[in-house]
Amino acid sequence: MAVSFEYVAKETATNLWRNRMMALAAILTVAVSLSLVGTALLLRQAVNRQIGQWSNNVSLQIFMDAGATSTQVTSVRSTIAQTPQITRCSYLDHAQSYAQAKQVLAGSPTAIAALTPATTPTVFKCQLKSPGDAATVATTFNSGVPGVYQATSPSQSIRVMQQVTNVLQLILLVIAIVLLVSSLVLILNAIRMAIFARRREVGVMKLVGATNWFIRVPFMLEGLVQGVLGALAAVVIVLLSNIGVSYLIRHYKVSVLGSAVLPVHDLVVTELVVVLIGVVVGVAGSSVAVRRFLDV
Amino acid sequence: MIRFDNVTKSYKNLRPALDDISLEIQKGEFVFLVGSSGSGKTTFLKLLLREEVPDSGTVWVAGRDIGELSQWRVPYLRRNLGCIFQDFRLLPNKTVTENVAFALEVIGRPRTVVRTQVAQVLDLVGLGEKGDRIPEELSGGEQQRVAVARAFVNRPLVLLADEPTGNLDPATTQGIMKLLDRINRTGTTVVMATHDVGIVDTMRRRVVQLDQGRLVRDQARGVYGFGEDMTVSSRGVPAISVAGAADAGYDAAGDPLTGRVATVRARRGTR
Ligand SMILES: Nc1ncnc2c1ncn2[C@@H]1O[C@H](COP(=O)(O)OP(=O)(O)O)[C@@H](O)[C@H]1O
Ligand SMILES: [Mg+2]
């Protein structure tokens, strides 16, 4: 099969131009849906990184009263040692705890101002054998152990946050899938129109013995180009929004969210996935159209 | 070159469009396929192009059972069969040259070959000067010449024509027939479906008549109506000589009823 590159390129370009409104609609829909896909993927990665940073493998924090005595601290320490669900703990004294609080509360200067090292409760940061034990262990320490202000399990709040982002992601993905399906249908329709517009040429080609692939390739390529153009637009949109978010985080020094800024590697992978989906949608849409409407 | 062995083809209708047809067409023959509308002429040509496949029986083209061809080979079969139609089927927004070149480009012929072959064939059909026109600037006869050029530019073994003069006036028709005759003289087999009585009667070539899908006449140098010398070829191997027919010319006034079998058999024997 000798399909000359020049012929195919010319045919595809002419087709796209002749059908430009349809092509534009298809390309824009691909762009919007893939932007959503890209955003959902980036959101997921950012949240996972941020949560990893926050939890830092701590699944239980036991805050002491600000005025807890060292005897009470020692007694809590031994209780911890006797609790089988806890694997390891580290103790932050007033100074260390204050430093951590300043970091965590970097976003709200007023809250920091209200704290002094002396008023910041000391804290045991503990790892559990299994995160599922967090609630029961927390309850034991909350049931009136002298000197304990409160035992909290960050994993609880993190779980809530994960659920929120999961729901958000799901919504984004559902919208994206609906839009992907519509872009597939739009591409299919654009190719169907192109086939219809060129039915005379196709008839002559069949008659004079052009091979099936020779007839099909320009139409397939047209779908591919639409998918890829849409994907490239989405890549730019995702890139810009990512740059925007990173800039905001840095500019306002929201260091709590510092880890939400993704490394280049993750971004590149996400963008590649976006382009790949664009290719798949374009080829799938045009294949179906060619199969259904181009009986060669 | 072409052989039908007991070919039957039905569409959804009760009566088959072609009913147990057997016949053979030699290389270089000129054959008229006649019969009233709906008698199966177009179906016959479509079976040759493998646009349709027979329900039973075998169609042979150039020694191949074309029913056995896999789908991807069908285009290669069609490269050996040029086709023209009543409605020309030209591409309206391409020039004459582009229309003819298109047939070579889409089968991947190199550009230099396309350029020389197109120029040659346009000269052959007498349109050398009109290469830059678009079809609607041409008369019907000229448009059909372009179609002939496109069908012939790849030098097919067989030229199939489905009522090629159906849209043309008698004078123009004569020009097209001269052209088809010229092409036939190059050794190209021509099969032409028509119900134009005048052409068939003046050309005096082999006539195959279909009626309701059945082969009712196969006559070596026939006229349109039934002559006294009515021959139905039961073997599907009519004896015919291209050379003989070509010698007579399309406007030959030779008597088709005398000496046909003797002449033809003799010539065939000497080949
Ligand atoms: N695609 C088709 N579907 C159904 N019937 C068809 C089709 N093509 C032709 N026929 C029928 O087959 C018969 C032969 O048609 P055709 O070969 O076109 O005859 P002709 O060319 O001699 O007029 C007719 O009865 C016609 O109605
Ligand atoms: Mg017909």
Side-chain angles (χ1 to χ4, degrees):
Chain A
M1 183 189 69
V3 178
S4 85
F5 173 78
E6 193 191 329
Y7 169 85
V8 170
K10 206 179 75 185
E11 284 299 293
T12 308
T14 326
N15 276 352
L16 280 170
W17 181 247
R18 200 182 302 184
N19 252 334
R20 53 195 176 277
M21 292 319 284
M22 279 299 299
L24 195 66
I27 290 169
L28 286 181
T29 320
V30 174
V32 172
S33 51
L34 285 182
S35 304
L36 290 182
V37 171
T39 310
L41 288 177
L42 286 184
L43 180 72
R44 177 199 181 80
Q45 293 171 65
V47 167
N48 285 348
R49 276 177 62 89
Q50 187 63 57
I51 286 170
Q53 180 72 19
W54 275 338
S55 56
N56 204 11
N57 293 329
V58 173
S59 38
L60 186 73
Q61 294 192 70
I62 303 167
F63 292 96
M64 305 302 291
D65 287 326
T69 63
S70 58
T71 333
Q72 284 170 333
V73 173
T74 319
S75 131
V76 168
R77 200 190 291 276
S78 64
T79 316
I80 288 171
Q82 284 154 22
T83 311
Q85 294 98 323
I86 296 175
T87 49
R88 195 162 55 83
C89 283
S90 60
Y91 178 69
L92 304 187
D93 62 20
H94 285 291
Q96 291 164 327
S97 180
Y98 177 68
Q100 185 199 260
K102 272 210 304 200
Q103 202 191 5
V104 171
L105 297 174
S108 48
T110 42
I112 296 176
L115 283 178
T116 63
T119 55
T120 314
T122 59
V123 59
F124 288 97
K125 305 181 90 173
C126 302
Q127 278 179 21
L128 296 180
K129 279 204 184 102
S130 108
D133 295 333
T136 32
V137 179
T139 325
T140 10
F141 284 93
N142 283 333
S143 55
V145 178
V148 170
Y149 169 65
Q150 196 184 28
T152 64
S153 126
S155 63
Q156 279 167 354
S157 48
I158 285 175
R159 212 167 290 144
V160 170
M161 185 169 159
Q162 266 171 333
Q163 276 161 2
V164 170
T165 48
N166 278 348
V167 169
L168 194 64
Q169 257 186 59
L170 197 70
I171 293 173
L172 280 180
L173 281 181
V174 167
I175 298 176
I177 286 171
V178 169
L179 285 174
L180 275 180
V181 171
S182 18
S183 43
L184 198 130
V185 172
L186 278 173
I187 290 181
L188 193 153
N189 198 44
I191 304 307
R192 187 179 68 97
M193 305 253 293
I195 291 172
F196 184 73
R198 294 173 53 76
R199 63 195 179 287
R200 283 167 187 276
E201 276 92 341
V202 169
V204 172
M205 284 194 257
K206 287 187 206 170
L207 203 65
V208 300
T211 57
N212 296 347
W213 281 110
F214 190 91
I215 300 176
R216 282 176 179 165
V217 161
F219 293 112
M220 305 272 294
L221 207 61
E222 188 180 338
L224 178 66
V225 166
Q226 290 177 3
V228 168
L229 284 182
L232 290 182
V235 161
V236 172
I237 293 171
V238 169
L239 205 63
L240 287 180
S241 64
N242 188 64
I243 290 173
V245 169
S246 312
Y247 172 79
L248 287 180
I249 289 175
R250 288 212 186 86
H251 186 253
Y252 293 102
K253 301 206 170 53
V254 197
S255 55
V256 217
L257 296 174
S259 318
V261 177
L262 287 170
V264 175
H265 168 262
D266 289 14
L267 198 60
V268 169
V269 169
T270 306
E271 301 284 42
L272 283 180
V273 169
V274 164
V275 171
L276 199 71
I277 298 177
V279 168
V280 169
V281 167
V283 170
S286 51
S287 304
V288 173
V290 162
R291 219 144 272 183
R292 290 264 314 266
F293 305 109
L294 195 69
D295 49 331
V296 291
Chain B
M1 178 56 52
I2 292 171
R3 202 170 95 209
F4 277 54
D5 283 341
N6 305 99
V7 173
T8 298
K9 168 72 191 174
S10 304
Y11 298 100
K12 286 164 195 92
N13 322 22
L14 282 174
R15 185 175 59 75
L18 282 182
D19 193 355
D20 196 25
I21 301 291
S22 294
L23 89 161
E24 182 160 5
I25 297 172
Q26 305 293 333
K27 178 166 168 50
E29 269 193 86
F30 194 122
V31 180
F32 284 115
L33 205 55
V34 303
S36 53
S37 186
S39 57
K41 303 184 294 294
T42 299
T43 303
F44 184 99
L45 298 179
K46 281 187 171 169
L47 287 171
L48 284 173
L49 286 165
R50 230 188 85 160
E51 275 184 36
E52 300 286 354
V53 284
D55 300 333
S56 62
T58 317
V59 178
W60 301 82
V61 173
R64 284 200 110 115
D65 171 359
I66 64 168
E68 297 284 293
L69 288 183
S70 52
Q71 200 59 42
W72 71 269
R73 281 216 168 111
V74 172
Y76 299 94
L77 164 73
R78 294 187 183 156
R79 289 177 192 189
N80 292 314
L81 305 169
C83 266
I84 59 174
F85 303 92
Q86 181 167 1
D87 57 358
F88 317 138
R89 303 203 188 166
L90 301 176
L91 301 176
N93 42 15
K94 287 191 192 295
T95 65
V96 167
T97 304
E98 286 166 351
N99 262 285
V100 178
F102 188 72
L104 290 180
E105 283 163 359
V106 300
I107 59 172
R109 292 285 183 267
R111 212 181 308 175
T112 47
V113 173
V114 172
R115 206 174 304 142
T116 53
Q117 301 226 129
V118 169
Q120 270 176 21
V121 81
L122 283 181
D123 281 339
L124 175 80
V125 302
L127 288 174
E129 307 291 300
K130 299 200 171 171
D132 293 333
R133 305 281 187 88
I134 59 167
E136 70 175 18
E137 296 168 352
L138 301 176
S139 71
E142 287 170 330
Q143 290 187 40
Q144 192 61 291
R145 283 169 186 275
V146 179
V148 170
R150 182 179 67 191
F152 191 62
V153 68
N154 194 33
R155 305 294 148 135
L157 299 171
V158 182
L159 186 72
L160 304 176
D162 195 355
E163 318 239 5
T165 58
N167 277 344
L168 306 176
D169 61 62
T172 316
T173 293
Q174 212 179 50
I176 295 294
M177 291 316 298
K178 268 191 178 142
L179 181 57
L180 293 184
D181 185 55
R182 174 116 61 98
I183 283 173
N184 178 236
R185 281 164 198 257
T186 66
T188 310
T189 311
V190 178
V191 180
M192 171 169 162
T194 186
H195 49 234
D196 188 327
V197 179
I199 307 169
V200 178
D201 289 351
T202 50
M203 294 276 288
R204 296 286 159 93
R205 297 299 185 89
R206 178 175 172 194
V207 174
V208 170
Q209 182 163 4
L210 298 175
D211 182 39
Q212 308 212 345
R214 272 189 291 271
L215 197 156
V216 295
R217 179 166 67 128
D218 186 347
Q219 188 176 17
R221 288 162 104 196
V223 293
Y224 192 93
F226 283 92
E228 287 160 44
D229 180 53
M230 179 183 126
T231 322
V232 176
S233 164
S234 51
R235 297 282 163 282
V237 190
I240 247 296
S241 158
V242 183
D247 289 347
Y250 85 99
D251 53 356
D255 186 352
L257 304 183
T258 57
R260 177 186 67 85
V261 172
T263 315
V264 165
R265 291 262 151 81
R267 281 175 191 273
R268 227 179 142 207
T270 61
R271 279 222 257 164

